[in-house]
Amino acid sequence: MTSGLSIAVDGPAAAGKSTVARLLAERLGYRYVDTGAMYRALTLKALECGVAPDDPPALEALARSTVIAVEAGLRTVMDGRDVSEAIRSPEVSRAVSLVAMAPGVRRRMVEAQRSLAAGGGVVMEGRDIGTVVLPLADRKFFLTASSRERAARRHRELQDRGYRVDLAALEAEMALRDRLDSEREADPLTPAGDAVQVDTTGKGIEQVVGELLDLCRPGDGRR
Ligand code: DC
């Protein structure tokens, strides 16, 4: 008897990963895990505690003393507090790539993520899921979209949350974050050799979810 596939969804910021991965999990009856939310929660704590986002040893110590739970992909709880909204702030977004560079932080996060995925029946979304966290995942997807479209999507999301941000500045900030995520030494953002790459530019969510669901049918995978 099998308890379901392990599905990795990676890609740069605002490529559509969260919405698509969440829906995919819903349709398959799987758990959805947003690993970016875990890095964001630690970043929020660092900002609140005055720990510099470019101080790896201090961040690693902070990670050791922080309890982060991602509940059904809907709520992120840090040390017992619901931080689901707070982790989406522009301040957290600006600092998170630096925090995610710290190798000690990554080691702890990867360990926690692997135990969340144990047993299968999971759609896990992030940057290094197919390459590092779940290298043996049953399906690996790498979502991309043009930088213009990704910035426009994130701009809409932030506006919906009540933040006023300049679109051009946001696009530049996201380009910097992608560069930091892709060029860092520990677990950089890069497609796994066996990932299916999906360009979501100009596509609706349902179309992308449908493409991925088709690839999740028995016999349609790469493994
Ligand atoms: O997906 P997101 O924008 O919420 O991710 C926030 C940051 O966390 C992103 O800049 C890179 C980092 N991250 C990571 O390094 N590894 C992951 N598996 C997920 C996110």
Side-chain angles (χ1 to χ4, degrees):
M1 209 187 96
T2 152
S3 51
L5 304 174
S6 304
I7 302 175
V9 180
D10 290 301
K17 298 186 302 294
S18 300
T19 317
V20 166
R22 188 178 294 128
L23 282 172
L24 188 62
E26 212 176 281
R27 306 274 159 89
L28 292 166
Y30 288 0
R31 270 168 301 133
Y32 161 67
V33 180
D34 173 2
T35 62
M38 299 167 74
Y39 289 96
R40 284 174 177 273
L42 185 66
T43 303
L44 177 68
K45 180 149 175 185
L47 294 175
E48 288 178 350
C49 296
V51 170
D54 59 352
D55 183 347
L59 290 167
E60 190 180 344
L62 196 68
R64 273 199 298 272
S65 63
T66 306
V67 181
I68 297 167
V70 282
E71 295 178 359
L74 300 171
R75 277 188 351 132
T76 304
V77 178
M78 180 188 74
D79 296 335
R81 174 160 65 107
D82 187 337
V83 293
S84 317
E85 271 301 312
I87 60 169
R88 305 289 160 195
S89 74
E91 292 74 24
V92 169
S93 296
R94 269 193 288 273
V96 64
S97 286
L98 285 175
V99 172
M101 278 173 139
V105 167
R106 301 204 68 82
R107 266 196 304 278
R108 290 194 69 82
M109 295 289 184
V110 168
E111 207 180 283
Q113 290 155 9
R114 283 185 182 149
S115 54
L116 286 170
V122 68
V123 180
M124 186 169 276
E125 174 225 322
R127 301 291 190 287
D128 60 340
I129 310 306
T131 50
V132 177
V133 181
L134 305 175
L136 299 179
D138 301 292
R139 301 288 188 278
K140 296 181 184 179
F141 299 114
F142 193 88
L143 302 192
T144 57
S146 71
S147 56
R148 176 72 29 104
E149 182 151 332
R150 292 191 294 115
R153 287 177 187 167
R154 187 49 53 88
H155 191 248
R156 269 196 303 277
E157 264 171 44
L158 286 168
Q159 277 188 327
D160 290 346
R161 291 196 151 89
Y163 294 106
R164 290 176 68 85
V165 282
D166 177 70
L167 179 61
L170 184 66
E171 191 173 347
E173 217 174 78
M174 286 174 63
L176 171 68
R177 200 142 75 83
D178 287 346
R179 194 162 61 73
L180 291 175
D181 291 345
S182 307
E183 292 179 1
R184 71 178 173 225
E185 235 159 83
D187 317 341
L189 167 67
T190 183
D194 52 353
V196 175
Q197 300 208 30
V198 179
D199 186 345
T200 69
T201 311
K203 289 183 187 165
I205 288 160
E206 282 302 328
Q207 184 182 349
V208 179
V209 173
E211 283 178 27
L212 267 49
L213 270 174
D214 282 346
L215 292 166
C216 288
R217 290 188 214 290
D220 275 345
R222 305 177 66 91
R223 290 173 197 282

